Amino acid sequence: MAIPPKELDYHYSPSRWSHRMGSDEVIEAHINTVTQASREATWLLNCDGEISYGSGPLQKLDIFTAKNAQIKGVPIFVFIHGGYWHMMGRAKSSFLAPPLAKAGSTVVIVGYDLAPAVTMDKIVSEIKQAIRFVLKLAKERQSSGVYLCGHSAGAHLAAVMLACEFSDDDAFDSEIIKGAFLVSGVYDLRPLVQTTVNEPLKMTENDAWRLSPFSFVGEIAAQSRQRDILFAVAEYDSPEFRRQSAEMEKELRSRGVKTRFIDVPDTDHFDVIEKLKKEDYSLTKEMIRLMHLSK
């Protein structure tokens, strides 16, 4: 049953569904948690930071490795942050790097220009530039594979990248993208057009559908025959976020893609990703396993 337009803001406001604290509190707590943990990551790991991959002011990425770690032949984990395409940023997104780097991966944190300074089309174009940069790095380092990860709006952007063909010249090879971890994502943007989320984005209904992974799920499936794609949602994500992830996973699975759906208990939209800073967190362990790094 369709949600009345006046209720869409409520259904697409993740902070209003947390079981831990109020809406404003949970956002503030999330920002504090990821900011502090990201700062700690720069102390704990080697960081090649603020590398420009494009001309935009926020088109930069950070590359993290464990101290004295091997860089050739290892998987590259790429994280694309959320924030509804107009918040957060690269500096608050390296919180998840320590356990993944310690396990043996190289971790790349991607920043991108935000609305309203740029359009959604421009954001998607920038992320494609970033992934091209990473694929070139992967080739230089003879990486065992690139794994994309996104949270919330970042999961949308990661899913879009799964449809892209990067093998249009000798420098890139789409097949090196071995998998994706899509956490609490949104894959049909049309409901957002009528919400306050769209105020900085200014998407039309046509824009929203054209940029929705649901609209080109066939292309994603065609590019992802050999990939592992994990969808994760929080127990206390909003019903709409949970529905969109479940339906996207089902659509890809029905087209022969190897997918998994994980419903993470006792988490909300924010700590489901925050907890990746912990080695013993179920999703951390699953990501390490899928990158073939578990002992």
Side-chain angles (χ1 to χ4, degrees), residues 28-282:
E28 183 180 1
H30 176 63
I31 292 171
N32 289 340
T33 296
V34 297
T35 299
Q36 178 60 30
S38 294
R39 191 178 297 125
E40 290 171 2
T42 65
W43 304 334
L44 295 169
L45 304 172
N46 289 332
C47 177
D48 193 358
E50 297 196 31
I51 300 170
S52 294
Y53 66 85
S55 58
L58 300 182
Q59 280 191 270
K60 298 179 188 296
L61 52 80
D62 299 332
I63 302 174
F64 289 89
T65 55
K67 295 185 186 297
N68 303 314
Q70 178 178 329
I71 62 170
K72 281 199 175 292
V74 305
I76 298 177
F77 180 98
V78 183
F79 182 65
I80 306 170
H81 70 79
Y84 264 151
W85 309 278
H86 75 278
M87 294 171 58
M88 303 301 290
R90 190 188 84 255
K92 297 182 179 71
S93 301
S94 52
F95 59 91
L96 48 65
L100 299 171
K102 182 180 177 183
S105 70
T106 293
V107 179
V108 178
I109 308 298
V110 175
Y112 51 94
D113 292 319
L114 302 172
V118 295
T119 64
M120 182 72 87
D121 279 289
K122 182 66 167 65
I123 291 171
V124 169
S125 175
E126 290 188 7
I127 296 300
K128 191 168 184 180
Q129 280 183 276
I131 301 306
R132 283 181 174 275
F133 182 101
V134 172
L135 295 182
K136 184 177 180 182
L137 180 72
K139 184 174 182 179
E140 290 169 355
R141 295 187 175 186
Q142 301 172 340
S143 172
S144 60
V146 172
Y147 295 81
L148 308 181
C149 178
H151 172 239
S152 196
H156 158 263
L157 294 169
V160 174
M161 292 304 105
L162 294 176
C164 294
E165 291 190 49
F166 293 96
S167 51
D168 50 5
D169 61 54
D170 292 340
F172 308 110
D173 181 0
S174 296
E175 292 184 1
I176 201 169
I177 300 176
K178 303 293 187 183
F181 311 106
L182 307 176
V183 183
S184 297
V186 57
Y187 309 104
D188 183 350
L189 306 186
R190 290 175 297 178
L192 299 178
V193 172
Q194 301 181 67
T195 71
T196 55
V197 172
N198 196 38
E199 289 176 3
L201 298 165
K202 296 180 171 55
M203 291 186 295
T204 66
E205 191 84 11
N206 286 339
D207 292 334
W209 183 236
R210 177 172 53 82
L211 294 164
S212 293
F214 263 118
S215 75
F216 45 85
V217 68
E219 289 89 335
I220 294 174
Q223 291 288 329
S224 301
R225 299 294 182 205
Q226 306 303 317
R227 295 169 178 163
D228 288 296
I229 302 180
L230 183 153
F231 289 83
V233 294
E235 179 182 358
Y236 295 97
D237 258 320
S238 81
E240 278 296 280
F241 273 82
R242 291 173 58 82
R243 176 189 66 80
Q244 287 215 18
S245 289
E247 291 183 3
M248 190 69 183
E249 187 270 338
K250 182 180 178 182
E251 286 291 332
L252 287 174
R253 179 163 36 89
S254 72
R255 288 167 166 79
V257 179
K258 186 179 177 183
T259 62
R260 283 191 63 198
F261 184 85
I262 299 179
D263 193 342
V264 187
D266 197 33
T267 57
D268 59 33
H269 189 80
F270 302 94
D271 62 351
V272 70
I273 196 75
E274 289 170 15
K275 289 183 177 182
L276 285 175
K277 64 189 180 73
K278 300 180 178 180
E279 290 182 33
D280 60 354
Y281 180 42
S282 59

